[in-house]
Amino acid sequence: MDSRLERSYARTVNAWCMYDWANSGFATTIMAAVLPTFYSEVAGATLEPVQASGYWGYTNTAGMVVVAFAAPILGAIADHSGAKKRFLGGFAGLGILFTGLLVLVSTGDWLMASLFYILGRIGFSGSIVFYDALLPHVARSDDIDQVSTKGFALGYLGGGLLLVINLAWIMKPGWFGLPDAEFSSRLSFLSVAIWWAIFSIPLFRRVDEPAFIRREGESPNPVRAGFQRLARTFRDVRHYRELFKFLIAFWFYNDGIGTIITMAVIFGKEIGLETTDLIGAILAVQFVGVPFSFGFGWLARRLGAKRSILLALGVYAVIAVGGYFIQTSLHFWILAFMVATVQGGAQALSRSLFGRLAPKAKTAEFFGFYDVSSKFSGILGPAIFGVVGQLTGSSRLSIISLVVFFVLGGALLLQVDEEQGIRLAEEENRQTGMV
């Protein structure tokens, strides 16, 4: 009986982790590697290079505003109605549709590219709110760090494999019967949508919708009940002090991480680095990140999640300083390797630590707040990057300014009493019968 339960648990965990594999093509091909270059050279061919960098930053900002403010409300509604998977499916469908429509973008279509990317990223980011909210229900409390890091590791691998395929099309289109690199880039956007759709299937087949609690006095209308839950959470904010302290810390340091992810390639283009080196370095990050993501799961067992995150932030501060001095492709490759050692671990352990701090009856609501913190990094960071670049004529000062986010985020994280926050969440889980 125990072995059957273990096999069932393993299948559920693997199915959940496969959504990281499924959606990571958007993070690699769309957000990080191919679309930024395509936006600069093709869609934004009629723009100046610094202008294209600025518009790309503003595009990332615009896409995040909607999700950032809607996520907590939608999360509270999902908790009330037991609809985490339905919300996940709706946002994933939106992201898949508009990612696929990027195949229509051609020379000078920067406005169309921005619109489709904004809608695609809303779908991508919105789906992750509800995907992350499933983590505390899928993983055992003593295994949650390892499950989260496994998801990130599979995401690196899946996103990396698809990016290899996409780059092969772009660099050698004739081998595949494709006319040129521009057409191959557009085809790669469609492939991301197809990959995302196919590999999402295991989660929807094998992961059950978690149990949910409808509290006494809540409206039967899910929208009204969602607002009631949010109002109660804000009234009880002192009750969840450690969780909200962590959210503030996460807002700061993830601002730096998110900006590095979204702006690295287009910054490299601005300072004159070769496209093959830029995309190759991003690709290397995907595969180097796999063992280091698993490594942070191992590290968390020995140091704890909080100390492991702080270690990663120290490395990120060094990376931001180094970014100011980049002169050659070799410098970019070195910094990309350093990013690969910490990116997956910092994000995976942030997700699992937050999952421990959040009561299970409120996971979608609280992961909505978590996503607000995450997506504000998609609002402020790239916007500052774009403004500073346009004001100074170079984005080098934009890069070094990110040190402030890592230092402030780490200092605030030191103030979080994770043991007290976890103990509070476990007490509430017992009270609601959702242990």
Side-chain angles (χ1 to χ4, degrees):
M1 181 65 178
D2 288 344
S3 63
R4 288 197 297 271
L5 287 173
E6 286 299 319
R7 287 196 297 271
S8 176
Y9 174 70
R11 284 195 295 269
T12 301
V13 164
N14 289 337
W16 180 85
C17 289
M18 281 304 295
Y19 190 73
D20 259 313
W21 172 291
N23 69 34
S24 289
F26 187 92
T28 54
T29 295
I30 304 298
M31 288 174 58
V34 179
L35 183 59
T37 302
F38 183 87
Y39 190 94
S40 177
E41 296 182 347
V42 180
T46 57
L47 303 173
E48 294 295 325
V50 172
Q51 193 176 26
S53 296
Y55 285 3
W56 180 247
Y58 302 147
T59 296
N60 277 278
T61 295
M64 293 306 96
V65 171
V66 174
V67 176
F69 289 103
I73 299 168
L74 295 175
I77 293 170
D79 281 332
H80 168 83
S81 56
K84 294 179 179 70
K85 284 176 64 179
R86 288 200 297 274
F87 275 95
L88 195 164
F91 276 101
L94 177 71
I96 290 166
L97 172 63
F98 283 97
T99 299
L101 287 176
L102 284 167
V103 73
L104 303 176
V105 176
S106 190
T107 303
D109 293 334
W110 63 268
L111 187 58
M112 181 192 295
S114 291
L115 176 62
F116 288 168
Y117 173 78
I118 287 168
L119 292 169
R121 191 161 181 189
I122 288 172
F124 170 76
S125 301
S127 72
I128 289 175
V129 174
F130 302 99
Y131 168 63
D132 288 346
L134 293 172
L135 173 61
H137 302 276
V138 167
R140 297 168 181 158
S141 59
D142 62 347
D143 198 33
I144 193 169
D145 289 331
Q146 288 67 46
V147 171
S148 186
T149 53
K150 180 178 182 178
F152 266 88
L154 287 179
Y156 273 126
L157 186 57
L161 288 174
L162 182 58
L163 185 56
V164 167
I165 296 169
N166 294 156
L167 291 179
W169 293 348
I170 293 165
M171 298 173 70
K172 298 292 183 181
W175 290 5
F176 304 93
L178 302 173
D180 53 39
E182 179 184 334
F183 182 86
S184 300
S185 297
R186 292 163 56 196
L187 185 62
S188 73
F189 306 148
L190 181 61
S191 74
V192 171
I194 295 170
W195 182 280
W196 187 354
I198 290 173
F199 290 110
S200 296
I201 293 171
L203 182 148
F204 291 102
R205 289 188 60 190
R206 294 190 178 275
V207 177
D208 294 330
E209 181 69 55
F212 63 98
I213 303 293
R214 286 182 180 164
R215 300 183 187 123
E216 185 177 349
E218 282 187 344
S219 169
N221 182 293
V223 176
R224 185 176 300 171
F227 280 101
Q228 288 175 338
R229 285 190 172 218
L230 279 179
R232 185 181 297 109
T233 297
F234 280 117
R235 286 198 302 271
D236 297 341
V237 67
R238 291 183 182 178
H239 187 61
Y240 304 106
R241 175 179 291 183
E242 303 309 316
L243 183 145
F244 279 97
K245 283 162 62 178
F246 173 80
L247 275 178
I248 296 169
F250 178 73
W251 184 90
F252 278 102
Y253 70 72
N254 198 59
D255 202 316
I257 295 174
T259 305
I260 286 175
I261 292 170
T262 56
M263 303 304 294
V265 169
I266 205 159
F267 169 70
K269 289 298 298 180
E270 179 188 328
I271 64 175
L273 302 184
E274 293 294 327
T275 299
T276 52
D277 283 310
L278 295 172
I279 295 181
I282 296 299
L283 180 59
V285 168
Q286 296 304 118
F287 293 103
V288 174
V290 173
F292 279 98
S293 293
F294 281 117
F296 264 87
W298 173 87
L299 192 64
R301 286 194 185 276
R302 285 147 184 83
L303 296 182
K306 188 173 86 169
R307 289 191 183 93
S308 299
I309 295 168
L310 288 168
L311 175 63
L313 298 184
V315 176
Y316 263 118
V318 173
I319 291 167
V321 173
Y324 177 82
F325 296 100
I326 286 178
Q327 298 293 335
T328 67
S329 294
L330 176 60
H331 297 158
F332 190 87
W333 275 86
I334 292 170
L335 292 182
F337 178 85
M338 292 177 67
V339 168
T341 65
V342 293
Q343 181 172 290
Q347 293 180 311
L349 294 181
S350 296
R351 176 171 68 182
S352 58
L353 177 56
F354 188 80
R356 281 205 191 92
L357 295 170
K360 289 185 178 181
K362 301 178 180 179
T363 54
E365 176 185 342
F366 279 124
F367 268 104
F369 285 108
Y370 180 83
D371 197 66
V372 167
S373 294
S374 175
K375 298 315 171 239
F376 267 114
S377 70
I379 294 172
L380 183 59
I384 289 175
F385 194 101
V387 169
V388 171
Q390 289 192 313
L391 288 177
T392 64
S394 171
S395 297
R396 290 186 183 275
L397 289 175
S398 302
I399 291 289
I400 203 167
S401 68
L402 300 180
V403 173
V404 175
F405 293 106
F406 299 125
V407 172
L408 284 176
L412 290 167
L413 183 59
L414 282 170
Q415 307 306 311
V416 176
D417 186 339
E418 58 182 318
E419 292 182 3
Q420 180 179 336
I422 292 169
R423 186 165 54 249
L424 178 64
E426 289 175 347
E427 288 174 1
E428 189 161 334
N429 291 340
R430 285 192 291 271
Q431 292 171 5
T432 56
M434 299 185 71
V435 178

